[in-house]
Amino acid sequence: MTDQLADHHWGVEFPAQAGELAAVRAQLDSWLARTGLNEDDRYDLLIAVNEAASNAVEHAYGPDRAGVVTIDADARPDGSVQVVVTDRGTWRVPPPALSTRGRGLLLMRENVDEVLVDRQPSGTTVTLVLARRHATRGTFNAAPPEPVVVTECEGWVEVVVLGDVPAHAAPAVRRRILTAARGGTVPIVVDLRALGERSDGLIRSLRPVAEAAAAAGNKVIVRAPVNGHARRALVAAGVDQVVDVVPHG
């Protein structure tokens, strides 16, 4: 994997392999943070870029053909960020068993302001634009750092909640989980054994996460102490009806 970095531009070219995506996301997120983009907007953009790159990895090249994916990102003078994802393959329609991946384009359009897909015989280019947002759009940065730790495991994503997750943190927590879980297409396990008394943000984020997972044919598994406040909060909000709660502790 090769990448280029400048104050207003970031670019990378990497093999079209799923195992490369996590490192690419981390590098892009680091550059976006240095441009001053707030955490909510970074997660929105990363979800869209991840979907575009995943589509290129999965569908641009045949099983016996090596390929590369290129990502170029620019912080533009008007405050917007443009990311262009390019492959040099021939688009292959996924089989019915992979039809849930069709949600990728929907996720892109839900999370950024402009999406342009240009499919040519020489390859596919996806252009994503995140428009300039109000600086006060997200209040998550005022919350304690890292209320959740998201780890991408082999074939699933583990979410460990640490302490309080207040209501205003819900959008950022939701985006963080869905980014790692590729919009819900990867199974999710949420560990609430260390959840603090302030749990509104976590509870609010779990329902849309569960809905996204269900649309992809997956379930969210939640580990919660049998008689703890986390389980009571899940039941009170009705979230226990859309996730699988596993007794723990």
Side-chain angles (χ1 to χ4, degrees):
M1 180 169 62
T2 58
D3 66 320
Q4 300 174 337
L5 180 65
D7 288 345
H8 301 290
H9 175 81
W10 176 86
V12 66
E13 182 175 278
F14 61 96
Q17 300 170 3
E20 299 282 338
L21 293 173
V24 170
R25 288 196 302 273
Q27 291 180 20
L28 176 56
D29 186 41
S30 178
W31 176 78
L32 290 171
R34 291 197 293 276
T35 70
L37 201 64
N38 69 55
E39 190 163 9
D40 269 359
D41 286 348
R42 294 205 313 272
Y43 283 131
D44 279 347
L45 185 54
L46 284 170
I47 287 174
V49 172
N50 188 72
E51 289 303 318
S54 296
N55 281 337
V57 166
E58 294 177 13
H59 305 312
Y61 303 99
D64 299 321
R65 180 185 173 192
V68 296
V69 179
T70 301
I71 300 178
D72 287 290
D74 290 283
R76 303 195 295 189
D78 63 359
S80 65
V81 178
Q82 175 177 282
V83 181
V84 180
V85 180
T86 306
D87 66 65
R88 303 182 195 126
T90 301
W91 184 262
R92 297 180 296 121
V93 177
L98 297 177
S99 60
T100 54
R101 294 294 298 125
R103 297 187 68 253
L105 188 57
L106 174 61
L107 276 172
M108 292 181 221
R109 288 173 173 159
E110 286 179 345
N111 285 280
V112 297
D113 300 282
E114 297 178 34
V115 179
L116 176 64
V117 180
D118 182 18
R119 295 191 181 112
Q120 300 290 337
S122 57
T124 298
T125 299
V126 179
T127 302
L128 308 165
V129 177
L130 185 79
R132 182 178 182 273
R133 308 290 179 95
H134 295 295
T136 57
R137 175 175 177 263
T139 57
F140 180 65
N141 288 337
E146 302 296 342
V148 299
V149 175
V150 181
T151 304
E152 296 181 44
C153 305
E154 188 66 33
W156 58 288
V157 169
E158 181 182 52
V159 180
V160 178
V161 183
L162 303 174
D164 292 335
V165 186
H168 67 253
V173 170
R174 172 179 59 82
R175 291 183 178 94
R176 184 164 201 160
I177 296 172
L178 286 177
T179 297
R182 293 174 58 182
T185 61
V186 176
I188 304 166
V189 176
V190 181
D191 191 327
L192 300 186
R193 288 176 292 174
L195 178 66
E197 293 293 334
R198 300 178 65 193
S199 59
D200 287 356
L202 189 279
I203 301 303
R204 292 184 186 185
S205 67
L206 278 182
R207 185 177 293 277
V209 167
E211 291 172 351
N218 288 318
K219 272 271 193 179
V220 175
I221 298 173
V222 177
R223 300 173 185 149
V226 175
N227 297 314
H229 69 276
R231 180 180 290 269
R232 292 193 296 271
L234 290 170
V235 172
V239 177
D240 63 317
Q241 302 299 310
V242 295
V243 302
D244 284 348
V245 182
V246 178
H248 212 297

